[in-house]
Amino acid sequence: MGYESCRGQAGAGGGTAPTMVPFRIRPYRDSDYAAVREVFAAGMSEHAPALCLHVLRRPWALLLLACTFCLLLASARSLLLPLLALALVLALGRHILGCAWDAYIQRCLDADLRDIAAAYGPGAGARFWVAEADERVVGTVGVRPAAADGGGDGGDGELVLKRMSVRRGYRGQGIGAALGRAALAFARQRGCRAVVLNTLMVQHEARALYERLGFRRHRQYVLPTVYGHLANCTITTYRYELGSDESAPAPPREQAAME
């Protein structure tokens, strides 16, 4: 798989004119190692506030906060102490959830992203790409056989799409879609029957991107852990069937031929 050169359009807020930024999709190199890990970790860290808000909306969390406030209000002579205590509980909860999320990110970095060349090398039937713009890595994505990754339904003939991430300042330019098309083209070239992926309930932008690429929701389940059930940590599996050419994503208007 060679290089894919594109020009993306960044939608800027506040009524400013869109900025056209050239980028290219290319295979991973060993020199990209630190940048790939940084892009992935930074992208995942952005979901921490949404995760906290998701947990805060759970009935047991609202009940706990309400009971704490009412008990302190009944025993205190002013409203200040209950409010301060409530703020402390919220801050403590935010810290605990943040630590748990950081631990999850570290587990990912210690898994397939510890040795990217080995986990996504040709010998493993896998591949990893980066998006490059402004002379630096701004996006990442990889695919691995489902049998080796523990994903998918049947395993054989399926690839798992993983580690899709784009730097915040480069989103909205088609970089994520270009990365996804590179992964789908690789799977089609290898004669795979499907590409699957997992998303968390807080990854709204990622879900929208996958659905635009043609992925369809396959199943949904709650993470089978105590924390998963308490937080209602829902995982949605998406699936892209490669059985017919009609399912192929349309190429962008300004895309050079793959070399």
Side-chain angles (χ1 to χ4, degrees):
M1 188 73 68
Y3 296 90
E4 176 181 347
S5 300
C6 307
R7 290 191 67 86
Q9 179 171 323
T16 58
T19 302
M20 302 296 291
V21 179
F23 66 88
R24 64 172 180 167
I25 308 301
R26 62 168 176 79
Y28 168 82
R29 303 169 183 162
D30 289 340
S31 58
D32 301 323
Y33 181 77
V36 165
R37 288 167 59 90
E38 189 271 327
V39 169
F40 171 77
M44 292 298 290
S45 296
E46 293 177 14
H47 297 303
L51 177 64
C52 292
L53 184 59
H54 175 81
V55 174
L56 183 61
R57 290 172 175 170
R58 302 302 301 153
W60 64 265
L62 294 174
L63 180 62
L64 176 63
L65 291 174
C67 290
T68 300
F69 180 78
C70 291
L71 287 174
L72 290 173
L73 184 61
S75 60
R77 296 182 179 180
S78 68
L79 188 62
L80 181 61
L81 178 60
L83 289 176
L84 290 176
L86 194 61
L88 179 61
V89 171
L90 288 172
L92 180 61
R94 169 67 177 83
H95 176 72
I96 293 174
L97 286 173
C99 290
W101 189 245
D102 288 343
Y104 168 74
I105 295 174
Q106 189 59 49
R107 283 198 300 272
C108 295
L109 293 173
D110 290 340
D112 55 302
L113 293 181
R114 175 178 288 277
D115 190 342
I116 302 172
Y120 292 94
R127 191 65 60 87
F128 202 93
W129 299 267
V130 302
E132 190 176 58
D134 296 331
E135 299 183 353
R136 66 171 181 161
V137 173
V138 299
T140 66
V141 72
V143 287
R144 301 183 67 197
D149 194 73
D153 291 331
D156 294 338
E158 294 184 0
L159 293 179
V160 178
L161 187 147
K162 298 173 69 68
R163 312 315 181 201
M164 171 79 83
S165 186
V166 177
R167 289 185 188 273
R168 178 186 290 273
Y170 293 86
R171 295 171 191 167
Q173 305 182 52
I175 295 177
L179 287 165
R181 285 192 295 269
L184 292 174
F186 174 76
R188 189 174 287 106
Q189 183 183 39
R190 290 182 61 85
C192 298
R193 68 169 183 267
V195 178
V196 298
L197 61 91
N198 293 321
T199 62
L200 291 171
M201 67 286 174
V202 295
Q203 295 177 290
H204 305 297
E205 292 183 3
R207 290 186 180 191
L209 169 62
Y210 298 139
E211 290 176 5
R212 288 197 302 270
L213 285 171
F215 284 85
R216 297 292 178 261
R217 296 189 184 190
H218 182 56
R219 67 189 181 102
Q220 185 172 302
Y221 61 96
V222 175
L223 191 66
T225 62
V226 174
Y227 170 78
H229 286 284
L230 283 176
N232 191 32
C233 189
T234 305
I235 296 176
T236 301
T237 298
Y238 281 84
R239 186 178 179 89
Y240 190 105
E241 298 290 347
L242 293 163
S244 63
D245 291 337
E246 287 78 7
S247 64
R253 292 180 180 178
E254 304 180 28
Q255 176 177 324
M258 302 295 288
E259 298 179 350

